[in-house]
Amino acid sequence: EVQLQASGGGLVQTGGSLRLSCAASGFALDDWPIGWFRQAPGKEREGVLCISRSDGSTYYADSVKGRFTISEDNAKNTVYLQMNNLKPEDTAVYYCAADRSQGSGRHYCNYGMDYRGKGTLVTVSS
C-alpha cells in the first residue's frame, strides 16, 4: 500500500526557515515523481515543487523560487522540503504526493498527483 506522511510543520517568524519531511512506504521514492503541494484556507491548492523522473528536472512555483529546495534520502525513503526566508503568504497545510506516471514537473504541479499523504501545517507569523 502506498503511503506518504508529511511532518515538520510549525510556527515560524517571517524570514525564518523550516524543513518538512515526507516519509514514504509501499514504493521507492526515487522511482516515482514526487511533489510538494500546499493549500491555504479559502485558496486553491498550489503545486510548490515537483520532480520529474523522466528528465530529472524540478519544477518550482514562481512563489517559492530561490527560497524552497528539495532533497532526498533514499536510504530512509524520505524526501525533504527546505523552506527559507518564509513569508506570511507561505502559511498553509503542506503535503507531499507521488505519481506512477512519467510526466513533467510542471504537469504534476498544475494538475496534481495520484497519491497524497496527510499534510502538516506551516504558519508564518508577521
Side-chain angles (χ1 to χ4, degrees):
E1 180 185 5
V2 172
Q3 291 188 331
L4 297 154
Q5 179 65 60
S7 62
L11 175 64
V12 63
Q13 291 185 333
T14 295
S17 297
L18 209 57
R19 189 179 79 157
L20 305 183
S21 301
C22 172
S25 61
F27 71 104
L29 264 177
D30 57 350
D31 284 346
W32 288 19
I34 294 293
W36 282 96
F37 296 79
R38 66 185 181 187
Q39 189 159 19
K43 293 190 176 181
E44 296 283 324
R45 178 197 69 202
E46 179 184 18
V48 172
L49 185 159
C50 297
I51 293 178
S52 167
R53 299 302 185 188
S54 60
D55 62 10
S57 65
T58 302
Y59 171 82
Y60 295 84
D62 287 342
S63 57
V64 306
K65 279 181 182 176
R67 301 188 298 123
F68 289 14
T69 57
I70 193 169
S71 61
E72 298 175 74
D73 185 335
N74 294 332
K76 295 181 178 179
N77 213 32
T78 298
V79 64
Y80 303 95
L81 179 66
Q82 179 67 42
M83 305 184 295
N84 299 326
N85 190 22
L86 283 162
K87 305 174 181 180
E89 52 264 41
D90 294 319
T91 295
V93 173
Y94 286 73
Y95 63 92
C96 53
D99 201 282
R100 289 180 177 272
S101 65
Q102 295 296 328
S104 71
R106 178 187 294 272
H107 173 85
Y108 293 127
C109 271
N110 286 340
Y111 296 105
M113 306 178 97
D114 289 341
Y115 300 91
R116 58 169 284 182
K118 291 183 180 179
T120 185
L121 176 63
V122 172
T123 304
V124 184
S125 63
S126 57

